[in-house]
């Protein structure tokens, strides 16, 4: 028996496997790039709330941004068809981890702007068209959802400053309350993920900035009467 031929056959199989693997990863990267483009479009639309006239038109801005949700869902559906279900985390999750965190942030920001409430993991998953359980298909990982919430704190601290500039003196007090509750919630978690721990430190800094704005408004006598 010619052992050299057997060895060549084995390595030819390895070569074919590696080529298929590379082809699949490129297909996934291509689909993720399309998802990232739509996510950027939604983020750009929402940035207009920081402008003086944007603060007065939050409902219209939110509706326009939400108009891109169907496209986001299409991207995730196409992506899920390319990824082998039994290899979701072990080999491919890093390809779309950041954009999914970004979409969790976008969805949470939309919910807050419209209701001033916290978007649950289920609400975010429904908005972007994914599931929560592996058995149901493509999922929103809990850590990705939490990362999105921590991005939200940074956006809201910036929103507070621009609200004051636009003459909206009540909003900082409401945002401070929301971020205080969000911070309290995160303190209940035993965060083992180093990235989440670092971002939680950012949340504490964001809350401090908002509280400083609130304090400044209070001592200047600019605290409005609370709305019913």
């Amino acid at each position: 028996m010619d052992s050299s031929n057997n060895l060549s056959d084995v390595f030819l199989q390895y070569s074919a496997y590696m080529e298929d693997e590379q082809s699949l990863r490129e297909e996934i990267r291509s689909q993720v790039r399309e998802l990232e483009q739509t996510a950027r479009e939604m983020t750009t639309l929402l940035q207009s709330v920081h402008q003086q006239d944007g603060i007065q038109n939050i409902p219209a801005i939110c509706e326009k941004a939400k108009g891109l949700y169907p496209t986001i869902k299409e991207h995730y559906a196409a992506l899920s068809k390319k990824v082998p279900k039994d290899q979701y985390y072990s080999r491919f999750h890093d390809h779309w981890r950041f954009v999914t965190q970004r979409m969790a942030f976008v969805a949470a920001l939309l919910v807050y702007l419209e209701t001033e409430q916290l978007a649950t993991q289920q609400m975010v998953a429904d908005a972007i068209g994914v599931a929560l359980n592996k058995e149901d298909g493509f999922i929103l990982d809990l850590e990705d959802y939490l990362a999105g919430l921590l991005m939200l704190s940074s956006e809201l601290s910036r929103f507070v400053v621009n609200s004051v500039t636009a003459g909206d003196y009540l909003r900082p007090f409401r945002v401070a309350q929301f971020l205080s509750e969000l911070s309290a919630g995160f303190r209940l978690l035993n965060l083992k993920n180093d990235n989440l721990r670092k971002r939680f430190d950012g949340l504490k800094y964001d809350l401090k900035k908002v509280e400083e704005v609130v304090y400044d408004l209070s001592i200047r006598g600019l605290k409005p009467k609370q709305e019913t």
Side-chain angles (χ1 to χ4, degrees):
M1 185 163 81
D2 190 342
S3 60
S4 62
N5 287 339
N6 289 338
L7 190 61
S8 296
D9 291 341
V10 169
F11 275 87
L12 284 173
Q13 292 176 13
Y14 293 160
S15 177
Y17 172 83
M18 293 175 66
E19 288 177 3
D20 290 342
E21 171 86 355
Q22 182 61 32
S23 177
L24 175 58
R25 286 186 179 277
E26 186 51 46
E27 289 180 21
I28 291 173
R29 280 193 288 265
S30 177
Q31 189 63 55
V32 168
R33 283 194 291 270
E34 293 184 22
L35 174 60
E36 289 171 338
Q37 177 59 38
T38 307
R40 281 194 295 270
E41 290 176 21
M42 292 186 75
T43 304
T44 300
L45 283 171
L46 290 172
Q47 289 304 299
S48 59
V49 302
H50 294 293
Q51 301 169 6
Q52 187 164 351
D53 57 342
I55 292 176
Q56 310 302 323
N57 293 289
I58 288 176
I61 293 170
C62 289
E63 283 302 315
K64 191 171 183 180
K66 289 193 299 183
L68 291 171
Y69 270 144
T71 305
I72 291 291
K73 291 179 179 179
E74 290 175 4
H75 290 324
Y76 275 112
L79 190 57
S80 67
K81 292 178 181 178
K82 298 181 184 299
V83 180
K85 290 184 178 180
D86 59 339
Q87 301 171 12
Y88 181 90
Y89 282 101
S90 59
R91 294 165 61 198
F92 300 109
H93 185 208
D94 282 343
H95 286 295
W96 60 83
R97 182 191 302 274
F98 179 76
V99 69
T100 298
Q101 292 175 358
R102 174 64 58 177
M103 282 309 308
F105 152 69
V106 167
L109 177 59
L110 278 165
V111 169
Y112 181 81
L113 290 174
E114 292 188 316
T115 68
E116 297 193 359
Q117 299 295 317
L118 175 69
T120 65
Q121 185 184 7
Q122 184 68 66
M123 292 168 66
V124 172
D126 291 343
I128 66 178
V130 299
L132 293 184
N133 301 310
K134 293 181 182 179
E135 294 76 15
D136 297 327
F138 218 70
I139 71 168
L140 172 64
D141 180 78
L142 176 60
E143 291 187 351
D144 290 343
Y145 161 71
L146 294 175
L149 295 186
L150 292 171
M151 292 181 195
L152 176 64
S153 73
S154 176
E155 194 75 8
L156 291 181
S157 68
R158 177 185 170 206
F159 189 44
V160 159
V161 174
N162 293 323
S163 295
V164 172
T165 302
D168 185 349
Y169 300 138
L170 180 58
R171 192 178 301 274
F173 293 87
R174 301 201 301 265
V175 172
Q177 178 66 28
F178 176 80
L179 290 184
S180 178
E181 294 174 358
L182 185 64
S183 179
F186 269 94
R187 286 198 298 272
L188 296 175
L189 303 177
N190 182 17
L191 296 176
K192 308 236 179 239
N193 182 299
D194 288 339
N195 188 40
L196 285 179
R197 281 204 303 268
K198 291 176 182 177
R199 291 187 179 186
F200 177 50
D201 289 339
L203 167 58
K204 290 183 282 188
Y205 177 68
D206 293 330
L207 176 58
K208 181 180 178 182
K209 287 197 298 182
V210 173
E211 287 175 337
E212 288 172 351
V213 173
V214 165
Y215 175 75
D216 185 60
L217 290 173
S218 298
I219 63 173
R220 291 166 57 193
L222 295 175
K223 180 180 180 179
K225 292 182 180 180
Q226 291 292 323
E227 295 175 341
T228 303

